[in-house]
Amino acid sequence: MSDLPLEPRVEAKIPVSLRRLFGAQAQASRGFLDTRFGRRPHWTVRSPEGAYLGQAMVDDVPGKSERITILVATAPDGTLRDLEILAYREAYGGEVAQEAWRAQFRGRKAGDPLRVGRQVRNVSGATISTNSVSAGVARCLAALAASGGGSR
């Protein structure tokens, strides 16, 4: 697959999301993560004192007809800290961006099953979106874990 270019409106949301997830004083260093599905924007996040707080990456997943851009952030132990939907471009199924649906991913780690209808609740009318976001979270968690996770 190819590198992931970020649209300006998506790029502008990332610092806001990182501050919300890691705290206003957190310092994020941007880089790129080479994955089997292409090169992805990646951030290593540290406290002002230099303590490792976690990492985050952005990916696109397919919707019914448009891409969905997600940000997956992990804690130092590699568990999912939070999931952000940076851009949802579909006409239906925007519920995947709601807190109640995203919260079910927190605490998951690479290798955890994330099947819709089992570990993940489906959103009526958004089956493709729920499946794609769930699969995207799983592959981002695996990529972040393979990058070294909390050993930074």
Side-chain angles (χ1 to χ4, degrees):
M1 299 207 49
S2 63
D3 294 353
L4 177 66
L6 296 177
E7 301 165 1
R9 67 186 179 106
V10 170
E11 184 92 42
K13 291 180 179 181
I14 294 169
V16 175
S17 293
L18 293 174
R19 280 193 299 276
R20 185 187 71 76
L21 297 173
F22 293 100
Q25 300 302 311
Q27 300 169 352
S29 301
R30 183 177 178 164
F32 291 92
L33 188 60
D34 291 316
T35 70
R36 62 183 178 86
F37 45 92
R39 198 166 183 221
R40 298 295 185 260
H42 172 265
W43 292 263
T44 300
V45 185
R46 298 189 180 279
S47 72
E49 298 77 33
Y52 178 73
L53 298 176
Q55 58 183 331
M57 71 179 285
V58 172
D59 197 13
D60 272 352
V61 299
K64 184 175 181 179
S65 60
E66 299 287 338
R67 300 176 341 275
I68 303 166
T69 305
I70 63 173
L71 180 139
V72 173
T74 58
D77 65 358
T79 59
L80 190 132
R81 184 179 199 114
D82 211 343
L83 160 67
E84 291 274 321
I85 306 296
L86 297 174
Y88 190 85
R89 301 169 182 93
E90 297 286 345
Y92 300 102
E95 294 90 344
V96 298
Q98 293 177 354
E99 164 66 19
W101 191 82
R102 292 184 352 262
Q104 66 189 320
F105 292 95
R106 290 189 194 117
R108 304 294 181 128
K109 62 184 181 308
D112 284 354
L114 293 173
R115 287 185 301 250
V116 174
R118 298 210 175 170
Q119 298 83 16
V120 177
R121 291 184 315 277
N122 192 22
V123 173
S124 180
T127 303
I128 293 171
S129 296
T130 55
N131 280 303
S132 290
V133 171
S134 298
V137 168
R139 81 181 193 178
C140 286
L141 286 173
L144 290 167
S147 76
S151 63
R152 295 172 179 246

